[in-house]
Amino acid sequence: MPTEELLKFAPRPTGAGEMFQMLRDGQPRTRADLAAVTGQARSTIAARIDLLMSAGLIAPAGEASSTGGRPPATFAFNPSAKIVLAVDLGATHAHLAVTDLSSHVLVEREEAIAIADGPEAVLGWVIRCADELIAAIGRTHADLVSVGVGLPGPVEHSTGRPINPPIMPSWDDADVPTILSRHFDAAVLVDNDVNIMALGEHRTAWPQVDDLLFVKVATGIGAGVISDGQLRRGARGAAGDIGHVATATGSQVQCRCGNTGCLEAVASGQAIAAALREVGLEAQTSADVVDLVRAGDLVASHAVRQAGRDIGSVLASCVSLLNPSMIVIGGVVADAGEHLLAGIREIVYQRSLPLATQDLRIVTSQTRRRAGVLGASAMAVDHVLSPAAIDALIV
Ligand SMILES: [Zn+2]
């Protein structure tokens, strides 16, 4: 076999960026540990450690225990080296957080906003608020390496632009990354809110689960797909948009997308509230629905359970397609608790093959209201700490 062919099968040499990925778990390691794992010379490892130390990305972490002689020094990830800004924008609500490089929240703020006010007004507010938060923890723009943003509509991930977003028409094709990077002088990543919630929930609560479906049930309904441990966005970023899948009930309820009988039109918080108003109950929002269920209202509980069944019928198809081992239900309506889950479980277990449901768990979100900012932070951190980004930073 020619040498070139042989080289293809040789272990790929790991650069400093790739070696750094091993340290992101926060565990202290010695030079010998890293040499053993990478199969590289101690001198190479030592040089890379020096580079990562001078960039502030790793720091000495004490001495390893030794059976004799001088104990070797250990090194660990230094997540406080830099900060990222995490922005979770909803239709009527915004959540901002500044985190360190392990997505630990350092400071956060939640406020009511109207996304319909448009990108200039809303992003102007984000900038003012972020500057206050960064100053409040004694950091500056020089410490900020990236910004992650979640928007409540379809986002073309490659460009970070919202595309025909139904609840935020004035944002169509808005260049969110350019508007924000001009002010912060940092990389800006944008995704839809459900994708970042899926990422936040997965990284924080279920990092060991490789195949997970996160479903947000709120004013709208959407899903984020984690497959083989990775967030899957599809060709253009629209994967998981299950809110506009036709439900099996044949409902003629009009959906805001123009079609009829969409899952969102029959089972979202808005849809449940509308159904409850028709029978004389006071319910305007998803939160009102949850309040009624928590107060023990039987009609509201029944409506939420039925919404769960409708969602379950769509999720049964998702289970057949993706075979997740966990479905996590988040969003405001998930606060209605067991009634929603019971409806979803009833149909998913009934309509999926036993092999697909054998180990399937259906649970409510652990990260709850923080899912969005945790995911926005994870997306922003992944971008700046990728092997390629680290190699570019320290050469
Ligand atoms: Zn629709």
Side-chain angles (χ1 to χ4, degrees):
M1 201 181 276
T3 319
E4 275 168 42
E5 287 290 298
L6 278 170
L7 278 173
K8 253 196 255 174
F9 298 103
R12 199 155 57 96
T14 49
E18 205 122 347
M19 188 185 87
F20 174 69
Q21 305 306 311
M22 292 171 210
L23 289 156
R24 279 182 66 185
D25 64 6
Q27 295 302 314
R29 288 180 177 81
T30 65
R31 292 185 181 92
D33 292 340
L34 291 163
V37 178
T38 60
Q40 289 184 328
R42 292 278 284 275
S43 55
T44 310
I45 297 295
R48 285 179 183 156
I49 284 185
D50 289 346
L51 283 170
L52 291 167
M53 288 252 283
S54 57
L57 290 167
I58 62 171
E63 291 170 339
S65 58
S66 167
T67 49
R70 191 167 148 238
T74 67
F75 303 89
F77 178 33
N78 174 28
S80 61
K82 297 286 178 187
I83 53 172
V84 306
L85 172 66
V87 182
D88 178 21
L89 297 175
T92 57
H93 178 259
H95 191 167
L96 262 63
V98 178
T99 80
D100 68 9
L101 294 178
S102 53
S103 295
H104 172 71
V105 175
L106 303 170
V107 61
E108 64 189 318
R109 188 184 293 174
E110 290 185 77
E111 238 171 80
I113 57 147
I115 198 83
D117 287 348
E120 211 169 300
V122 174
L123 296 178
W125 173 82
V126 166
I127 285 170
R128 285 192 302 279
C129 185
D131 282 348
E132 284 172 26
L133 292 176
I134 292 167
I137 54 166
R139 308 291 292 248
T140 67
H141 277 197
D143 295 326
L144 183 72
V145 282
S146 58
V147 181
V149 183
L151 293 176
V155 173
E156 189 178 56
H157 187 65
S158 59
T159 60
R161 289 168 183 251
I163 305 295
N164 293 322
I167 62 166
M168 41 192 282
S170 58
W171 289 70
D172 186 27
D173 209 29
D175 191 356
V176 179
T178 299
I179 296 168
L180 292 180
S181 60
R182 213 180 277 146
H183 179 79
F184 293 113
D185 192 25
V188 178
L189 290 296
V190 188
D191 206 338
N192 81 62
D193 56 348
V194 189
N195 278 351
I196 62 164
M197 289 171 84
L199 194 58
E201 178 77 15
H202 178 242
R203 291 287 177 84
T204 311
W206 319 101
Q208 74 288 5
V209 176
D210 280 341
D211 296 279
L212 178 151
L213 195 61
F214 181 92
V215 184
K216 178 188 180 187
V217 187
T219 310
I221 295 176
V225 181
I226 305 281
S227 181
D228 288 337
Q230 301 292 321
L231 178 64
R232 305 293 175 189
R233 297 183 170 95
R236 297 290 297 270
D241 206 348
I242 60 170
H244 302 281
V245 170
T247 46
T249 55
S251 158
Q252 289 305 303
V253 181
Q254 185 73 38
C255 179
R256 64 186 179 192
C257 75
N259 279 328
T260 54
C262 295
L263 180 62
E264 195 167 292
V266 299
S268 66
Q270 287 291 321
I272 302 168
L276 295 180
R277 284 198 299 278
E278 273 181 27
V279 295
L281 287 168
E282 269 299 316
Q284 299 299 326
T285 64
S286 302
D288 294 341
V289 172
V290 171
D291 287 346
L292 282 166
V293 171
R294 285 187 166 166
D297 187 282
L298 287 178
V299 176
S301 302
H302 181 80
V304 166
R305 193 178 181 113
Q306 182 52 44
R309 291 190 189 103
D310 292 331
I311 295 166
S313 71
V314 172
L315 290 183
S317 304
C318 299
V319 166
S320 299
L321 193 66
L322 300 166
N323 188 197
S325 57
M326 179 169 274
I327 296 177
V328 182
I329 309 296
V332 179
V333 183
D335 291 343
E338 277 306 307
H339 295 282
L340 183 71
L341 244 59
I344 293 173
R345 287 190 181 122
E346 178 187 324
I347 304 299
V348 169
Y349 288 119
Q350 186 182 313
R351 294 300 308 262
S352 310
L353 286 173
L355 182 62
T357 53
Q358 216 164 40
D359 304 312
L360 176 65
R361 292 171 64 197
I362 303 176
V363 299
T364 48
S365 165
Q366 304 287 304
T367 53
R368 300 168 65 95
R369 297 173 74 89
R370 260 192 175 174
V373 287
L374 291 171
S377 167
M379 173 170 71
V381 168
D382 281 356
H383 179 77
V384 289
L385 297 187
S386 72
I390 295 293
D391 285 338
L393 178 77
I394 65 176
V395 286

